[in-house]
Amino acid sequence: MTEIASPYISHPRITVLGVQRGTPPFRIVEIDGQVVGEAKAVTDVLQAAAAYGIRVHDLDDPDVVRWVGGDKFTWTVR
């Protein structure tokens, strides 16, 4: 297999895990593999990133943020 034929796997610094039950529901945020807090909205993800010196220009860029169990619009339990 050549490098061109192999799939590209991104390793973003920010991972936002699936929605957890709670009042209100929340998502756990990891930066560099470490849990840094809970997010109840997109702004919480951006604040966590800023606290660690990460500038996020595009929340849909898989090289920047990995969304697990939904995307940036998923904030309720299904």
Side-chain angles (χ1 to χ4, degrees):
M1 180 185 291
T2 64
E3 288 182 20
I4 294 173
S6 63
Y8 172 74
I9 300 173
S10 65
H11 296 284
R13 293 186 64 194
I14 304 167
T15 302
V16 183
L17 301 177
V19 179
Q20 303 296 309
R21 296 188 188 278
T23 306
F26 63 93
R27 298 176 78 163
I28 296 182
V29 179
E30 294 180 352
I31 295 181
D32 297 331
Q34 300 295 315
V35 173
V36 297
E38 299 175 354
K40 295 174 181 69
V42 172
T43 54
D44 297 332
V45 176
L46 294 172
Q47 287 175 345
Y52 283 81
I54 303 170
R55 289 187 178 180
V56 178
H57 297 286
D58 183 2
L59 286 167
D60 293 321
D61 184 351
D63 290 331
V64 178
V65 181
R66 178 174 178 235
W67 297 94
V68 178
D71 60 12
K72 65 184 178 188
F73 300 113
T74 307
W75 295 98
T76 58
V77 179
R78 294 180 189 187

